Amino acid sequence: MLLLDKNQVESLLQPADAMEAVSEAFALHSEGEGRVFPLVREPLATGGVFGIKSGDVQSQGLLGFKAAGFWPANREVGGEPHQATIMLIDPATGRPVCMIDGNAVTTMRTGAAGGLGLQWLARQDSERLCLFGTGVQARIQLTFALALLPSLKQVQYVTVTGQHDAAFERAFAERCEISHAPDRNAAVAGSDVVITATPGGGALFDLQAVQPGTHLNCVGADTRGKRELPDGLLARARLFVDDRAQARQIGETQWAPDTPCTEIGDVLGGKVQVERHDTDITVFDMTGLALQDLTVARLLQRRAATAQAGTSIHWPW
């Protein structure tokens, strides 16, 4: 069995690779070739949340799962609250063949999914972006946004403390005009793109702040009870999701489950044509598919074999 840790994943995985693998995952899902199994997402007595996302692509011999969750108390000891581990399994025997650090994979594949949402759904002349959050996921979302929307010039960010984040500003200062937004509603109203990458503790801004023509990438709602958008927004928007059933279970769509929506894989595959009008409000509700983790994990497994990277251990029957 091959083991790949965080450092090995980060050395083997480039943004363009993640975009290609995530695009494949969405296409497989759209065509029905990739299966997504029922989601496990449960609170723990320790204060954490534990989940399992799993699936397969039978025609490709791809089978596996990601065990992941959120442990907020980790911050108190200097640790990362998000924890994830990915396992690839031989579908013929059930034997584990590759175990991979899931944190680095989750970060990159979620950033890539957000990038695809911007490529296909946002106005390509977008110049101003409002970002909620300055953590790991906020950083990767902004990185992909700046790479894929060259017209972006101005970024305003909102923090939970209401204070500016000097380190965050330094990380992006050479790529855009970046500043802290003291008024979140004004920042949303003045932006073409809004990205929400928070723990999903509640609505982040008022409904009336969202102007015609805005695109929103929503990352934080990934568990029952989480949300980042205000009541009534989905009814005003054209809603896109990664998986319809999962979005209604744990995404923003849980708050308005009857809202008509389109799966992003159908857009990428050409089943649905998106003719965006300048006044359309679009929302991409991102809950994360097991297939994204599996296609990226398979890429890493192959790259590691070529580069002779990782640790191979004997795994007795």
Side-chain angles (χ1 to χ4, degrees):
M1 183 172 68
L2 179 66
L3 304 180
L4 295 174
D5 65 22
K6 174 180 182 292
N7 294 334
Q8 291 159 342
V9 169
E10 291 179 344
S11 68
L12 292 168
L13 185 60
Q14 299 301 314
D17 301 325
M19 287 280 288
E20 183 176 348
V22 170
S23 294
E24 181 188 5
F26 286 145
L28 290 166
H29 185 51
S30 175
E31 295 299 327
E33 294 185 39
R35 297 191 297 173
V36 175
F37 301 152
L39 175 75
V40 174
R41 192 79 173 170
E42 298 295 338
L44 303 175
T46 60
V49 176
F50 175 71
I52 297 176
K53 291 180 177 180
S54 58
D56 74 351
V57 183
Q58 296 185 71
S59 63
Q60 298 181 5
L62 181 60
L63 171 68
F65 65 87
K66 179 171 74 175
F70 186 71
W71 284 264
N74 286 2
R75 292 194 182 102
E76 299 172 9
V77 292
E80 167 58 47
H82 291 92
Q83 292 296 316
T85 303
I86 296 171
M87 182 75 77
L88 295 181
I89 295 169
D90 178 0
T93 66
R95 300 275 294 162
V97 294
C98 188
M99 186 166 72
I100 303 173
D101 173 85
N103 285 15
V105 171
T106 300
T107 297
M108 186 69 82
R109 65 85 151 146
T110 309
L116 289 168
L118 295 180
Q119 273 191 328
W120 287 87
L121 305 175
R123 296 194 342 259
Q124 294 307 295
D125 62 350
S126 296
E127 296 184 355
R128 300 174 302 278
L129 183 147
C130 176
L131 175 66
F132 285 82
T134 58
V136 171
Q137 195 48 235
R139 288 178 179 239
I140 196 67
Q141 291 292 328
L142 183 53
T143 297
F144 273 93
L146 292 170
L148 297 170
L149 290 179
S151 58
L152 282 179
K153 299 175 182 176
Q154 187 179 59
V155 174
Q156 289 187 290
Y157 67 94
V158 180
T159 60
V160 66
T161 63
Q163 303 297 316
H164 85 283
D165 186 327
F168 183 75
E169 290 184 18
R170 285 195 299 272
F172 293 96
E174 294 183 1
R175 286 177 273 178
C176 62
E177 178 186 332
I178 187 167
S179 61
H180 174 252
D183 185 331
R184 57 186 62 200
N185 283 323
V188 169
S191 296
D192 305 304
V193 172
V194 176
I195 299 176
T196 59
T198 76
L204 299 171
F205 47 85
D206 296 336
L207 175 62
Q208 60 268 27
V210 182
Q211 301 302 303
T214 305
H215 172 71
L216 301 95
N217 267 3
C218 304
V219 184
D222 60 359
T223 303
R224 288 186 297 272
K226 283 190 175 186
R227 72 182 312 170
E228 296 178 305
L229 301 183
D231 282 334
L233 180 56
L234 294 186
R236 292 178 54 196
R238 297 178 63 185
L239 175 61
F240 297 83
V241 300
D242 43 20
D243 178 85
R244 189 173 287 107
Q246 188 168 287
R248 288 170 175 164
Q249 181 180 357
I250 62 171
E252 287 294 337
T253 310
Q254 70 183 284
W255 303 103
D258 295 330
T259 305
C261 61
T262 300
E263 291 188 347
I264 192 71
D266 291 344
V267 176
L268 271 62
K271 289 183 179 179
V272 175
Q273 300 296 321
V274 179
E275 296 182 7
R276 197 187 207 290
H277 301 104
D278 288 344
T279 57
D280 287 342
I281 296 171
T282 49
V283 172
F284 183 24
D285 184 8
M286 303 165 51
T287 57
L289 295 183
L291 293 173
Q292 295 169 244
D293 299 306
L294 298 186
T295 54
V296 173
R298 181 183 57 192
L299 168 70
L300 287 166
Q301 181 188 24
R302 291 172 176 173
R303 284 275 174 85
T306 300
Q308 295 186 327
T311 303
S312 182
I313 64 170
H314 179 58
W315 197 259
W317 282 82

